[in-house]
Amino acid sequence: QYMGLMGHPVADSYLSAHIERVEIIRGPASLLYGSNAMGGVINMITRTTISPGISGNAALSYGSYNSQHLGVNIGYQVNQWSTIVSFTHERTDGFRPWSDFNANSGYLKSSYRINDQYTLTVDGSLTKFKTYDPGTITAPKINNWMDIQRGYAGVSVDNDYGVSKGSIRFAYNFGHHELYTTWASDDFTAVASFYQTLSLFPDNVLTIGADINKYGGNGHDDSRDYGKFSVDEYALYAYMQHTFLQRLTVNAGLRYDNNELFGGIVIPQIGAVCKLADRTTVHGTVGKGFRSPTIRELYLFPAPTPTLQPENMWNYELGVSQTLAGRISMDVTGFISEGKNIILTQGVYPNMKLANSGSFVHRGVEFSGTAFVSNELQFRTSYSFIDPGNETRSVPKHKLFIGGDYKYRIATFSFSIQHVEGMYGSDNSQNPLSDYTNVCVKVLVNLTQKCSISLSSDNLLDQSYQTIFGYPMPGRTVNAGLQVSI
């Protein structure tokens, strides 16, 4: 899902009450997801009713700066039919003048199990929010509002024959945006997709699929109507995974993606996982990713550049996973990303232009680990180092995370510490941002099996820092919450 004209997700339209869990795919994922997946994918899995009869939960919280959250889910399941409805309300006054945010969102998902092989699912969501951009601290803005409405509707037919599973899906994502600058736009993204996974013989899985996309929209302001634009894409892909002697798993895939403006591109990917010992695993991947220029970059403000070409890159990574005593797990992965044609902004409006920058090389190392000290105590840690070359804007060179949970009777105590160094507000190592350490704590108390209360504090050390140049983050904040289920 992304905004059809601007080509990026609108994160404020994804509110948490609708989401059951979030999966992160690191590195190029264009083999399965096409354009816009050059750096990875955030996969949000929506809630599903699994209990017969009526079930549901509600979460309510209130915190600093009049920040409010209400999330309600109600599900109903009977025989082959299940439905879930959710509603989310979020708002805050913001910690700076003219930084308010107010959002309401509804979601509906209904599934019918036709027989043992087929399930029909329809779902849809509608989100409306108004937010304010207060501007940088050196150039603050007043009444810089954005009023946005976004919606989604989809239908899918899933099949399961045991040795073969798959889905046919249709989805339509749309939005209406109005800005204080008199800008208004309507956009859409229409998607039809098919995939089928086959297990024809032991230790082997083959997936084949196809995608058809159409996206675009129209925009105007008081001085100009930019007209209507749309782009058609289609893709075919195949992906196979095979395990040898229960020790070595090899996967490989190929995608052909065709864009009506830029023609076809072939996306290969190959990877392997080798189990050297019962507790030691080596894994590696070589893959290609790409991103096509958006309609905004090609034809709209502030610097329309119809000569832009797609960004593309190769990513190489190698890692080792280790388990110790069944309670400690660790993974370290090194990667090199080499690419070309990354789209950069040059100059300042009205003398601004976009251009493909040539080649780039990014290098880095990521480490993650978990330790289950006991049934009551566990720790998590991660560290990442990245050398992003000249593309330094908002990319931390060093990032360390340490977190933990301790359960004592009906209470759970949680903490997290994140330390960030070497971040810049602009590319080419310009506008350095201060290093910072963000400490968060939370206490959750289960009053009953179906009712709990919580108290949390973010930025406990009241650090002064920025992650976007000119936009300071809040100081210490507190939040109290109530969670109830039926």
Side-chain angles (χ1 to χ4, degrees):
Q1 293 193 36
Y2 52 88
M3 200 276 198
L5 287 178
M6 307 303 179
H8 61 75
V10 183
D12 295 305
S13 64
Y14 308 128
L15 301 183
S16 59
H18 315 332
I19 307 302
E20 181 176 285
R21 67 184 189 278
V22 177
E23 296 176 348
I24 307 297
I25 301 174
R26 298 182 298 179
S30 293
L31 171 65
L32 296 180
Y33 294 93
S35 180
N36 290 1
M38 198 164 73
V41 167
I42 300 174
N43 187 19
M44 291 173 286
I45 295 91
T46 54
R47 294 182 182 271
T48 300
T49 301
I50 58 175
S51 301
I54 298 177
S55 61
N57 60 74
L60 174 68
S61 66
Y62 184 83
S64 303
Y65 309 111
N66 193 29
S67 299
Q68 306 165 22
H69 168 83
L70 171 64
V72 179
N73 293 278
I74 299 176
Y76 180 71
Q77 180 177 320
V78 57
N79 300 325
Q80 289 81 25
W81 179 56
S82 65
T83 297
I84 188 168
V85 179
S86 63
F87 171 78
T88 307
H89 167 74
E90 291 185 352
R91 66 146 294 136
T92 182
D93 291 342
F95 77 103
R96 292 178 58 194
W98 298 105
S99 62
D100 306 21
F101 175 81
N102 192 321
N104 293 286
S105 181
Y107 177 74
L108 168 67
K109 183 178 184 178
S110 186
S111 297
Y112 181 75
R113 188 173 181 84
I114 301 171
N115 52 40
D116 290 341
Q117 285 77 42
Y118 290 96
T119 301
L120 172 68
T121 300
V122 295
D123 69 334
S125 66
L126 187 64
T127 302
K128 184 174 178 59
F129 66 91
K130 188 171 186 178
T131 185
Y132 292 80
D133 175 5
T136 65
I137 53 176
T138 56
K141 297 180 179 180
I142 296 176
N143 202 29
N144 181 18
W145 55 266
M146 290 167 277
D147 198 333
I148 295 175
Q149 179 174 296
R150 298 210 61 85
Y152 159 86
V155 58
S156 66
V157 179
D158 302 318
N159 67 78
D160 186 349
Y161 289 94
V163 298
S164 177
K165 300 178 182 180
S167 180
I168 299 175
R169 299 177 179 177
F170 303 92
Y172 189 78
N173 182 29
F174 58 93
H176 177 73
H177 295 213
E178 295 183 6
L179 279 64
Y180 82 106
T181 55
T182 71
W183 167 263
S185 67
D186 293 280
D187 70 277
F188 71 93
T189 303
V191 180
S193 66
F194 157 82
Y195 77 89
Q196 196 72 23
T197 297
L198 310 171
S199 300
L200 300 180
F201 51 92
D203 301 322
N204 183 274
V205 176
L206 170 65
T207 300
I208 57 174
D211 299 325
I212 301 174
N213 300 336
K214 187 180 184 69
Y215 58 90
N218 63 282
H220 63 87
D221 56 29
D222 281 350
S223 61
R224 179 180 178 183
D225 187 339
Y226 287 86
K228 296 181 179 181
F229 302 91
S230 66
V231 177
D232 293 306
E233 296 177 339
Y234 71 86
L236 304 170
Y237 63 88
Y239 176 83
M240 178 178 285
Q241 180 171 291
H242 189 84
T243 301
F244 299 90
L245 303 175
Q246 299 182 342
R247 288 283 183 179
L248 175 63
T249 300
V250 178
N251 59 75
L254 197 66
R255 179 187 184 96
Y256 175 75
D257 202 296
N258 186 282
N259 182 294
E260 69 168 302
L261 300 179
F262 309 106
I265 184 173
V266 176
I267 304 296
Q269 181 173 304
I270 186 170
V273 179
C274 182
K275 192 174 183 180
L276 299 181
D278 289 342
R279 297 177 179 176
T280 305
T281 301
V282 177
H283 53 88
T285 304
V286 177
K288 186 178 182 180
F290 77 102
R291 184 183 79 87
S292 299
T294 66
I295 291 176
R296 178 193 68 81
E297 293 167 331
L298 292 170
Y299 306 119
L300 303 181
F301 61 87
T305 312
T307 57
L308 291 173
Q309 295 299 307
E311 303 175 339
N312 62 81
M313 78 173 190
W314 282 90
N315 185 75
Y316 312 88
E317 64 179 59
L318 181 65
V320 179
S321 299
Q322 180 72 47
T323 301
L324 302 174
R327 288 186 172 273
I328 300 176
S329 61
M330 298 178 292
D331 182 275
V332 59
T333 301
F335 66 89
I336 298 176
S337 299
E338 299 179 346
K340 62 181 180 179
N341 287 342
I342 191 169
I343 299 171
L344 295 180
T345 302
Q346 301 173 348
V348 178
Y349 185 81
N351 299 313
M352 182 185 295
K353 66 178 182 178
L354 303 179
N356 295 107
S357 70
S359 61
F360 65 89
V361 179
H362 300 164
R363 300 180 178 88
V365 177
E366 296 178 337
F367 167 83
S368 62
T370 58
F372 295 90
V373 179
S374 65
N375 293 334
E376 294 78 25
L377 180 62
Q378 59 177 287
F379 294 99
R380 305 173 302 279
T381 185
S382 64
Y383 167 77
S384 65
F385 163 82
I386 184 171
D387 176 6
N390 295 324
E391 291 74 48
T392 56
R393 183 170 65 92
S394 298
V395 179
K397 189 171 185 179
H398 302 277
K399 183 162 65 173
L400 172 67
F401 172 86
I402 300 173
D405 302 293
Y406 175 66
K407 295 182 180 180
Y408 180 74
R409 296 184 178 178
I410 63 172
T412 300
F413 304 87
S414 303
F415 78 94
S416 66
I417 303 171
Q418 185 180 69
H419 180 73
V420 171
E421 290 185 8
M423 192 156 65
Y424 295 88
S426 304
D427 289 330
N428 301 303
S429 301
Q430 299 296 307
N431 297 317
L433 302 178
S434 301
D435 302 339
Y436 66 90
T437 301
N438 195 345
V439 178
C440 303
V441 295
K442 181 178 181 179
V443 179
L444 176 69
V445 179
N446 295 307
L447 302 178
T448 68
Q449 289 185 339
K450 296 186 176 183
C451 180
S452 62
I453 58 174
S454 62
L455 181 65
S456 62
S457 176
D458 292 340
N459 195 6
L460 188 66
L461 302 181
D462 201 26
Q463 294 269 284
S464 176
Y465 68 99
Q466 299 178 17
T467 60
I468 298 176
F469 182 70
Y471 287 82
M473 295 294 287
R476 183 186 302 112
T477 61
V478 295
N479 188 281
L482 171 68
Q483 300 83 36
V484 178
S485 60
I486 59 174

